[in-house]
Amino acid sequence: MKITFLGTGTSQGIPVIACECEVCQSKNEKDKRLRVSVLIETENNTFVIDTGPDFRTQMLRANVQDIDAILYTHEHKDHVAGMDDVRPFCFKHNKEIEIYGHKRVLNQLKQEFHYIFDDKFNYPGIPRISANEITLEPFQINGDTIIPIEGLHYKLPVYGFRINDFTYITDMNFISDSELEKVKGSKIVVLNALQKKEHISHFTLEEAIEVIGKINPERAYFTHMSHTMGLHDEVSKELPSNIELAWDGLEIKI
């Protein structure tokens, strides 16, 4: 399995528009973060988790030629806004793109992208999408088993996903012990860590380190970071030996 971090930033990305802080002005490429997303390549499939506003740029930068499915964590704009840009894959391969999400998430997508899902509209050139509702039950895509993991983003239920020995979790600030049990045994865990200061809907750096301590994977990577987190190189010095800050373009293999 190969994982490529397409974006590791929070909803505004880094640099933030009109911001003059040291992180936004940094020349270090690891401090430049598009909205959060990840590409997962297995022997059977190529998945993307979330299609944020930077989806087109991410696909071009990673030279992605095809995707089999999109897994959606939740319906916030920084995770879904780029769904229309799957259309080149539809055209090139003459197929529908399978998307997977909670019923609430799919309903929101059908509202925001009504022209895609309205059979009466049927405008030429729109993406071809096939929507698949998921629950907390494991499901299969072309031979790969995906295990949803539920947590809270303030009061909003959000899904993370485990595929084989890899688990990806973002936009949470609470995960129950029973849901954490699904994650244990993963070799690599990706978890959101927004900033050092307390936040209403995201794990802080300290909280994320505590969660990783409970899971105890071989390696962990933090994502969905704000410019208020601090400089990549400086924050990296504060982390336990088995944890790294992810960055855009980072590739790892299991």
Side-chain angles (χ1 to χ4, degrees):
M1 180 186 294
K2 177 183 176 183
I3 296 97
T4 304
F5 288 88
L6 301 171
T8 57
T10 188
S11 57
Q12 296 184 87
I14 303 174
V16 175
I17 294 172
C19 183
E20 297 180 350
C21 77
E22 64 174 355
V23 177
C24 289
Q25 298 302 311
S26 171
K27 301 300 183 184
N28 185 349
E29 287 299 316
K30 292 181 180 179
D31 285 317
K32 302 183 188 304
R33 304 183 185 277
L34 299 179
R35 268 63 71 92
V36 69
S37 181
V38 68
L39 177 75
I40 302 168
E41 298 170 88
T42 71
E43 291 182 359
N44 304 314
N45 293 289
T46 299
F47 302 110
V48 171
I49 300 182
D50 291 335
T51 56
D54 302 312
F55 180 73
R56 175 180 176 274
T57 298
Q58 292 166 342
M59 293 296 96
L60 290 170
R61 185 170 65 179
N63 193 29
V64 180
Q65 297 298 307
D66 193 14
I67 57 175
D68 295 295
I70 301 166
L71 311 178
Y72 282 107
T73 59
H74 64 297
E75 64 270 40
H76 285 167
K77 275 291 189 180
D78 56 320
H79 295 259
V80 305
M83 190 180 75
D84 183 271
D85 284 323
V86 304
R87 66 176 68 187
F89 298 126
C90 302
F91 301 156
K92 180 176 181 178
H93 301 287
N94 189 29
K95 68 176 186 179
E96 294 182 336
I97 299 296
E98 302 288 338
I99 68 171
Y100 294 80
H102 186 280
K103 181 179 181 180
R104 184 196 73 243
V105 177
L106 296 181
N107 286 340
Q108 183 67 28
L109 289 170
K110 290 174 182 178
Q111 178 179 328
E112 293 188 25
F113 297 93
H114 60 90
Y115 60 93
I116 294 176
F117 297 96
D118 188 349
D119 292 335
K120 297 178 182 178
F121 193 62
N122 199 26
Y123 185 82
I126 61 174
R128 293 158 55 192
I129 300 291
S130 177
N132 301 272
E133 181 182 335
I134 60 175
T135 64
L136 283 176
E137 293 297 317
F139 60 97
Q140 293 266 337
I141 303 177
N142 300 330
D144 284 318
T145 299
I146 294 90
I147 302 173
I149 297 126
E150 186 178 62
L152 291 179
H153 183 33
Y154 185 40
K155 297 181 180 180
L156 181 71
V158 172
Y159 279 174
F161 299 101
R162 177 172 180 172
I163 304 172
N164 300 327
D165 289 325
F166 174 76
T167 297
Y168 181 88
I169 294 171
T170 188
D171 284 58
M172 295 185 188
N173 69 328
F174 174 79
I175 310 173
S176 69
D177 289 341
S178 60
E179 290 299 292
L180 276 180
E181 285 298 320
K182 299 179 182 179
V183 184
K184 290 180 179 179
S186 300
K187 292 182 179 179
I188 294 179
V189 174
V190 178
L191 183 67
N192 63 290
L194 184 73
Q195 58 191 26
K196 294 179 180 179
K197 294 182 179 180
E198 184 177 355
H199 194 272
I200 193 172
S201 61
H202 291 274
F203 287 125
T204 64
L205 181 64
E206 182 179 352
E207 290 167 341
I209 291 172
E210 182 179 344
V211 172
I212 293 301
K214 293 179 180 179
I215 300 168
N216 195 29
E218 291 181 9
R219 299 294 304 166
Y221 296 86
F222 289 158
T223 193
H224 205 291
M225 287 166 280
S226 166
H227 64 153
T228 58
M229 173 69 89
L231 294 167
H232 182 281
D233 288 350
E234 295 302 315
V235 178
S236 295
K237 297 175 184 177
E238 306 171 20
L239 300 177
S241 59
N242 67 328
I243 301 176
E244 295 182 46
L245 299 185
W247 66 86
D248 290 19
L250 171 63
E251 297 180 356
I252 56 178
K253 294 183 179 181
I254 304 177

